[in-house]
Amino acid sequence: MQQETHFTLAPATRVPRIWTGLWQLSSNAWGSAPAQRVRDAMASYVAKEYTAFDTVADHSGPAEDFFGQYIKNLPEAARPFGAVKWAVVHPMEITFNVVEAAIDERRTRMQTPRLDLLQLFWQDYQDRSYFTALRHLLQLRSMGKIRSIGLCNFDTRRTDEICTVLGPGAIVSNQVQFSIVDVRPLHGMCDICERHDIKVLAYGTLCGGFLTDQWLGKAEPELYSSGLTPSQRKYLDVILKAWGTWELFQGLLRALRDIADRHEGVSIANVAVRWVLEHPWKPGARLGLTDHADENKKVFEFTLTERDKAEIEAVLRQSNSAAMIMTIGDCGAEFRR
């Protein structure tokens, strides 16, 4: 069974539904690898048709550099899609020159005359200069320095407001956390994105790797264990403090394993990603630069049955997932406390 593996992000821009995240390159806390090994891994992903890469949210840095080093000797037709972010986390005067300098820095690092997708993160909603920043970004788009503009971790209210004020076609996407565990986008965000014809780009789809066979039957880890990555500490905190208990999470993994067994040859991770991708507003999902490229392709070889969905929902009803929109807040609220 062959599923649609790509979607239209913007006019004349078809991209894979599974993107490759480069956030592991943002800090030595993830470990380190020689530059050539990283470039080889990127080449391997592209050869397997994972042709969209996404960089980290909080700053410009190594991820953009690695992307640029990888594409610099490729013919334009062979270059993968590169999404980048600009995060405004401290108050600043938003002038055209400031915005242009931020974009030019990312163009230089990524060694491209035009950014495929610039995603804006804005820390302080009380400072409504994000409208000024977005209007400058639209001007830079008209100048050919940006192909498309997206949002990153904007909440439902501001996403609706921005798309309404700037009009159709100004914004193409909003990247937010979305998984079987974190269902907050189902409480308004998906409706807004459908209304304005923008795409949801989901990250955290596997909760830092917890929604995998690796954690089935395992004891609850210590939050600050040296064996956990920064991402795993973040998602473990969500699982234990906002979603439910480790015991219930193991129940979810068992349910996902049972579903995977019925579909033969797929993994818990495949089922978790499939659950995200099957929503009617057809989100994309960002996964990490790992050794699971071949496994990830199986996501498009099956669909969830009504029985599958009912078994997942039966576990979610025992959790606090529906209340997370209140306890954590809307999409991106965890970054604005």
Side-chain angles (χ1 to χ4, degrees):
M1 180 183 297
Q2 188 65 35
Q3 303 293 326
E4 186 174 11
T5 59
H6 289 66
F7 66 86
T8 300
L9 180 67
T13 306
R14 291 280 291 175
V15 294
R17 294 194 69 194
I18 292 181
W19 293 25
T20 304
L22 300 176
W23 68 90
Q24 296 101 324
L25 307 179
S26 65
S27 168
N28 289 333
W30 294 93
S32 61
Q36 187 59 51
R37 181 178 173 187
V38 174
R39 292 194 290 271
D40 289 346
M42 295 175 69
S44 174
Y45 263 66
V46 171
K48 294 173 181 177
E49 300 182 338
Y50 295 100
T51 55
F53 292 90
D54 185 41
T55 61
V56 297
D58 55 350
H59 60 277
S60 178
E64 287 91 341
D65 294 334
F66 278 118
F67 183 89
Q69 292 162 12
Y70 170 66
I71 72 167
K72 68 178 180 180
N73 294 321
L74 295 178
E76 185 172 353
R79 291 185 174 187
F81 181 93
V84 67
K85 300 182 180 75
W86 179 36
V88 179
V89 296
H90 302 295
M92 66 170 66
E93 183 180 3
I94 300 297
T95 66
F96 178 79
N97 288 341
V98 166
V99 178
E100 184 178 36
I103 299 314
D104 286 346
E105 178 189 3
R106 284 151 179 79
R107 290 168 58 236
T108 299
R109 284 182 176 274
M110 297 183 77
Q111 302 196 35
T112 181
R114 179 170 62 178
L115 301 175
D116 291 323
L117 175 65
L118 188 285
Q119 301 164 97
L120 176 68
F121 172 83
W122 194 270
Q123 181 75 35
D124 182 9
Y125 288 143
Q126 298 302 310
D127 178 3
R128 290 172 58 82
S129 298
Y130 52 83
F131 275 110
T132 303
L134 286 164
R135 289 189 176 99
H136 290 324
L137 289 172
L138 287 169
Q139 185 176 348
L140 290 164
R141 186 182 71 176
S142 70
M143 294 167 59
K145 292 189 173 186
I146 303 170
R147 182 187 298 273
S148 297
I149 300 167
L151 306 176
C152 179
N153 282 310
F154 272 74
D155 65 11
T156 303
R157 173 185 161 190
R158 276 79 180 188
T159 300
D160 186 27
E161 178 185 44
I162 287 168
C163 292
T164 300
V165 171
L166 298 183
I171 303 299
V172 303
S173 61
N174 187 20
Q175 185 171 141
V176 295
Q177 191 167 292
F178 182 39
S179 69
I180 288 179
V181 168
D182 188 348
V183 301
R184 288 177 294 162
L186 299 181
H187 297 275
M189 182 61 72
C190 58
D191 295 330
I192 291 301
C193 289
E194 279 195 297
R195 181 188 309 168
H196 293 289
D197 192 25
I198 70 175
K199 297 297 184 183
V200 169
L201 303 179
Y203 71 90
T205 309
L206 298 179
C207 290
F210 280 113
L211 285 170
T212 63
D213 287 281
Q214 176 185 349
W215 286 96
L216 178 62
K218 296 294 180 63
E220 178 181 327
E222 293 289 337
L223 183 59
Y224 295 104
S225 165
S226 60
L228 298 181
T229 67
S231 178
Q232 287 174 327
R233 293 190 189 98
K234 168 188 172 181
Y235 290 110
L236 180 61
D237 192 59
V238 171
I239 291 167
L240 299 180
K241 295 183 180 179
W243 183 81
T245 65
W246 186 255
E247 180 181 6
L248 183 60
F249 183 71
Q250 284 295 312
L252 175 62
L253 292 181
R254 286 192 294 272
L256 297 179
R257 184 64 258 167
D258 289 344
I259 293 167
D261 288 342
R262 288 200 292 270
H263 290 282
E264 298 183 3
V266 305
S267 65
I268 286 177
N270 293 153
V271 176
V273 174
R274 186 76 229 167
W275 183 89
V276 167
L277 295 184
E278 284 196 8
H279 283 81
W281 28 287
K282 297 198 178 298
R286 187 190 75 177
L287 305 180
L289 187 66
T290 65
D291 297 326
H292 301 291
D294 292 327
E295 177 190 335
N296 293 340
K297 281 188 172 293
K298 295 179 181 178
V299 167
F300 300 106
E301 297 176 0
F302 72 102
T303 58
L304 297 177
T305 66
E306 291 305 312
R307 176 186 174 187
D308 297 337
K309 296 173 185 177
E311 290 179 3
I312 293 170
E313 184 59 31
V315 178
L316 296 187
R317 281 197 299 269
Q318 301 175 60
S319 75
N320 299 316
S321 63
M324 287 169 61
I325 191 74
M326 301 299 295
T327 55
I328 295 179
D330 201 353
C331 297
E334 60 270 33
F335 299 105
R336 297 180 175 89
R337 293 176 176 175

